[in-house]
């Protein structure tokens, strides 16, 4: 509302996109006020996932970017860079149960990676946002994914990232180079059972940013 531009990456690959501007009228009700349809061809499938967006907002002066640069200073490859960043997040961010309860009755929450880093706490959306901002700032393609995790159909947020070269292992997670890998730092940081995390088949992706 203050005129500041907001970035909405085109993140669903090549194809025809329908862009709609919706006005919130009441609660969860919206009315369309404008639309435009455009054919899109991305320069790379990774392009939308190495830049900031409204859910992982950062720039070169962001504290999380400076911290990511510091953590990966001696990394020899992307795998080591991911491990350094994820080790830090797992060891320094705790789950905020009170915030989770408060947000369960609210809509429109937008995480702030620097706030999460400063407070050292957050909900799953905050973990995913901070990880995405730190990894993207180092040129590592990273998705924020929202969806459900079985067996309890928990609405949840996590990351997918893509690295080249050597794989690595972190907590319960092993990664495969040259593929999208799932990363759930909320569960990793808070000691979720490896059987619950499983091999990824109990995750259902709904939204990707």
């Amino acid at each position: 509302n203050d005129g500041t531009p907001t970035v909405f990456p085109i993140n669903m690959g090549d194809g025809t996109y329908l862009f709609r501007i919706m006005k919130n009228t009441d609660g969860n009700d919206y009315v369309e006020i404008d639309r435009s349809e455009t054919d899109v061809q991305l320069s790379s499938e990774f392009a939308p996932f190495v830049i900031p967006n409204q859910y992982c907002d950062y720039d070169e002066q962001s504290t999380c970017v400076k911290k990511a640069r510091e953590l990966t200073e001696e990394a020899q490859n992307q795998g080591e860079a991911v491990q350094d960043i994820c080790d830090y997040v797992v060891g320094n961010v705790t789950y905020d149960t009170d915030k989770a309860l408060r947000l369960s009755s609210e809509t429109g929450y937008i995480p702030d990676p620097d706030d999460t880093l400063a407070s050292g706490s957050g909900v799953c959306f905050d973990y995913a946002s901070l990880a995405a901002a730190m990894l993207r700032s180092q040129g590592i393609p990273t998705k924020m994914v929202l969806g459900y995790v079985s067996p309890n159909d928990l609405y949840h947020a996590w990351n997918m990232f893509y690295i080249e070269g050597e794989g690595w292992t972190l907590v319960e997670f092993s990664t495969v180079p040259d593929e999208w890998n799932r990363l759930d730092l909320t569960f990793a940081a808070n000691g979720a059972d490896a059987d619950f995390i499983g091999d990824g088949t109990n995750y259902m992706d709904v939204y990707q940013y």
Side-chain angles (χ1 to χ4, degrees), residues 46-142:
F46 304 114
F49 305 112
V50 290
I51 60 175
N53 66 31
Q54 66 273 27
Y55 292 131
C56 62
D57 193 17
Y58 64 90
D59 58 34
E60 284 299 310
Q61 301 308 312
S62 297
T63 305
C64 64
V65 173
K66 295 176 181 177
K67 189 63 182 180
R69 192 179 300 125
E70 172 191 324
L71 292 169
T72 60
E73 199 170 29
E74 297 183 7
Q76 299 299 306
N77 52 51
Q78 288 183 318
E80 290 185 10
V82 176
Q83 183 165 3
D84 291 338
I85 288 171
C86 292
D87 278 342
Y88 182 83
V89 174
V90 166
N92 292 275
V93 180
T94 58
Y95 192 78
D96 190 333
T97 304
D98 291 339
K99 184 176 183 178
L101 290 172
R102 185 175 72 252
L103 292 177
S104 66
S105 60
E106 298 180 8
T107 59
Y109 174 67
I110 297 179
D112 184 317
D114 277 358
D115 283 352
T116 303
L117 191 65
S119 67
S121 65
V123 296
C124 58
F125 206 0
D126 296 312
Y127 277 91
S129 174
L130 176 60
M134 295 180 81
L135 292 169
R136 289 183 185 192
S137 73
Q138 300 309 300
I140 298 168
T142 307

Side-chain angles (χ1 to χ4, degrees), residues 135-167:
L135 292 169
R136 289 183 185 192
S137 73
Q138 300 309 300
I140 298 168
T142 307
K143 299 177 181 179
M144 293 181 62
V145 186
L146 279 72
Y148 295 92
V149 182
S150 61
N152 300 320
D153 288 331
L154 172 70
Y155 192 62
H156 192 46
W158 59 89
N159 299 103
M160 299 288 288
F161 65 93
Y162 191 101
I163 61 172
E164 300 174 352
E166 299 178 10

